[in-house]
Amino acid sequence: MGHTMKWGTLPPKRPCLWLSQLLVLTGLFHFCSGITPKSVTKRVKETVMLSCDYNTSTEELTSLRIYWQKDSKMVLAILPGKVQVWPEYENRTITDMNDNPRIVILALRLSDSGTYTCVIQKPDLKGAYKLEHLTSVRLMIRADFPVPTINDLGNPSPNIRRLTCSTSGGFPRPHLYWLENGEELNATNTTLSQDPETKLYMISSELDFNMTSNHSFLCLVKYGDLTVSQTFYWQESKPTPSANQHLTWTIIIPVSAFGISVIIAVILTCLTCRNAAIRRQRRENEVEMESYSQS
């Protein structure tokens, strides 16, 4: 990372006056130049490296004064052999003093969004420091909501099912909608909260629906110009035979089989008796014929 810089404080000689003059100088530069600073987009908790865009040598670095500020607030100041970091950036800002001075900001927050300006001063032959270089970069911090999670909360009442949809960790302020076939549904118990430290939002909402038909629900979360969504499908279940229905069929089937067997037995018995009667009648007829012949 180039030279190792020691942590210290600004020289006690009128530091507030120096800083006020520096901020005014920076503001005048941008007002007069009309140059739009380049931009960098990062997400919350990521890391960003901001460069002064100033090529220098190791020897020159030892004599330069380098200041970083965000909008109208100081970030850090690098004086020969000393570095001061302002409280909001302590323990998460690193200086990289190579041939192109830059800073690295860790664990980005939403509050880090803004225009960062690097001001470099160089001593002249008389030892007075004058503006040598100035550049700005606009840092934009995004906080995207993850895809919502839909959970089934069960049955609050017969034939009614309850769902909950939630997501967290995003910015700006979100709005949650339940949709079916493109039409917005009436949600219940919608809650929205914001972390006081990170300023990130959490949102959740519940939906009750009738279980007796098929459904396709879309949980849509909109924040700024962006959206995230999740879909939930419900398939109506077919009724299953009850225990009594099983018992009825269990009883009917054996009874029906028994009845058929009885009917078949009766028919067979009748046929047997009828055949026997026919045979008996034939024998009687034969006996009568023989008696008639003999007489």
Side-chain angles (χ1 to χ4, degrees):
M1 280 249 178
H3 297 305
T4 301
M5 306 298 291
K6 297 181 180 179
W7 298 100
T9 58
L10 286 174
K13 185 179 179 180
R14 307 173 71 183
C16 294
L17 179 58
W18 289 3
L19 292 179
S20 63
Q21 291 175 344
L22 176 65
L23 295 175
V24 171
L25 178 63
T26 304
L28 288 175
F29 177 87
H30 285 290
F31 177 79
C32 297
S33 65
I35 298 175
T36 303
K38 64 180 181 180
S39 63
V40 176
T41 301
K42 291 289 182 178
R43 289 181 172 84
V44 169
K45 298 181 181 180
E46 288 185 343
T47 298
V48 67
M49 177 180 289
L50 304 177
S51 173
C52 285
D53 290 333
Y54 179 77
N55 295 322
T56 184
S57 63
T58 304
E59 292 75 19
E60 186 183 28
L61 275 174
T62 59
S63 62
L64 296 179
R65 288 178 178 175
I66 303 174
Y67 303 93
W68 276 97
Q69 68 180 74
K70 189 199 79 171
D71 299 328
S72 59
K73 297 180 180 180
M74 289 298 300
V75 175
L76 61 78
I78 304 171
L79 302 178
K82 296 180 181 180
V83 175
Q84 180 180 4
V85 180
W86 266 247
E88 187 178 348
Y89 294 88
E90 279 185 333
N91 302 320
R92 64 187 189 96
T93 304
I94 304 170
T95 58
D96 184 5
M97 303 300 291
N98 288 312
D99 56 350
N100 185 359
R102 45 189 168 256
I103 59 172
V104 178
I105 305 176
L106 310 173
L108 288 170
R109 308 167 183 172
L110 284 174
S111 58
D112 292 331
S113 295
T115 300
Y116 288 77
T117 301
C118 173
V119 181
I120 296 180
Q121 293 180 338
K122 185 177 180 180
D124 58 17
L125 296 176
K126 296 181 180 180
Y129 280 86
K130 296 183 179 180
L131 179 63
E132 173 70 14
H133 177 78
L134 189 148
T135 188
S136 295
V137 57
R138 177 165 178 76
L139 177 62
M140 293 180 289
I141 307 299
R142 290 178 52 181
D144 294 332
F145 282 95
V147 174
T149 299
I150 298 180
N151 292 316
D152 189 342
L153 300 183
N155 301 74
S157 60
N159 293 329
I160 299 298
R161 202 80 169 185
R162 177 168 294 172
L163 304 176
T164 179
C165 178
S166 62
T167 185
S168 61
F171 188 90
R173 182 186 180 95
H175 299 275
L176 190 151
Y177 307 91
W178 286 98
L179 304 172
E180 185 174 27
N181 298 325
E183 297 184 3
E184 185 175 355
L185 306 175
N186 292 325
T188 60
N189 196 26
T190 298
T191 60
L192 176 68
S193 61
Q194 185 179 26
D195 189 292
E197 181 177 352
T198 64
K199 305 303 180 182
L200 301 179
Y201 285 95
M202 187 280 290
I203 191 168
S204 66
S205 180
E206 294 179 356
L207 176 72
D208 292 345
F209 67 94
N210 196 313
M211 301 167 52
T212 58
S213 58
N214 298 333
H215 295 281
S216 175
F217 298 118
L218 178 69
C219 174
L220 177 69
V221 177
K222 182 177 182 180
Y223 59 107
D225 297 329
L226 302 174
T227 60
V228 288
S229 62
Q230 182 66 276
T231 304
F232 178 86
Y233 299 98
W234 174 262
Q235 186 72 32
E236 178 191 5
S237 58
K238 301 296 182 180
T240 56
S242 63
N244 291 336
Q245 288 175 318
H246 284 297
L247 180 61
T248 301
W249 282 105
T250 303
I251 294 174
I252 290 176
I253 291 175
V255 169
S256 299
F258 177 76
I260 293 174
S261 300
V262 170
I263 292 174
I264 293 175
V266 170
I267 293 174
L268 293 176
T269 302
C270 292
L271 291 175
T272 303
C273 294
R274 181 169 177 273
N275 293 334
I278 292 173
R279 288 194 296 271
R280 187 169 52 255
Q281 184 65 38
R282 286 178 179 176
R283 285 197 296 271
E284 291 176 353
N285 291 337
E286 291 176 355
V287 171
E288 290 180 359
M289 290 295 295
E290 289 178 357
S291 300
Y292 180 77
S293 301
Q294 293 176 357
S295 60

